[in-house]
Amino acid sequence: MANQITAIILLQLVFVFITVWLVKSKRSIGNFSLVRKEEWEKHVANNKNLVSYDTIKLPARKTARSIGYDIFNTLNSIYLLQPDEEVVIPTGIKVLLGDNVGLFIIPRSGQGFKYLRLANTVGLIDPDYYDNQTNNGHIMVKLRNEGPNAIELKPGVGIAQALFIQTIITNNDVATDVARTGGFGSTG
């Protein structure tokens, strides 16, 4: 038992070391890009209030010490989100992730004070969500107004943030080699 605990502690220290090394050496463990233009055009056909493809902003950090990447609103004009209303906003982005790396989509810090929430509280993007057989990897953000007043969603402002996470797989993992096909909820 002591050997297993020692091995786990050593493994955690290795992951911390690797993460610090990646950050210090400015190496990346993921890469944001735009979805295919034809996919974006399908969304625009269903919602004329979306920005043009060439004006989609990739997620960005505000400062060198920030760890969250702001995800920006792609609505072309102010949208008034009514109390108890939910809206799905196509972001126009996808992310290529390394093995054992995930991406959390989480609320921006100040949103909770305004009663603006992510409808699913936290989104998790797996590495195999990107460009699989039937899914381009398009990241969507579903917002919910839980307050008593309408909330203005302004064009181009941050609506969520993305946080890269390094994951560890258990020794008795039973995942299959079957490749993912599909998007939201496709793994069960």
Side-chain angles (χ1 to χ4, degrees), residues 97-117:
L97 298 168
D99 290 338
N100 297 332
V101 176
L103 186 76
F104 278 140
I105 307 298
I106 59 176
R108 296 188 70 229
S109 303
Q111 285 177 329
F113 294 103
K114 299 173 188 170
Y115 302 102
L116 183 61
R117 309 265 194 265

Side-chain angles (χ1 to χ4, degrees), residues 87-133:
V87 62
V88 175
I89 300 177
T91 64
I93 60 167
K94 59 184 178 177
V95 64
L96 176 64
L97 298 168
D99 290 338
N100 297 332
V101 176
L103 186 76
F104 278 140
I105 307 298
I106 59 176
R108 296 188 70 229
S109 303
Q111 285 177 329
F113 294 103
K114 299 173 188 170
Y115 302 102
L116 183 61
R117 309 265 194 265
L118 294 180
N120 62 338
T121 63
V122 172
L124 174 61
I125 308 298
D126 295 309
D128 59 357
Y129 183 66
Y130 181 91
D131 277 348
N132 65 53
Q133 187 177 9

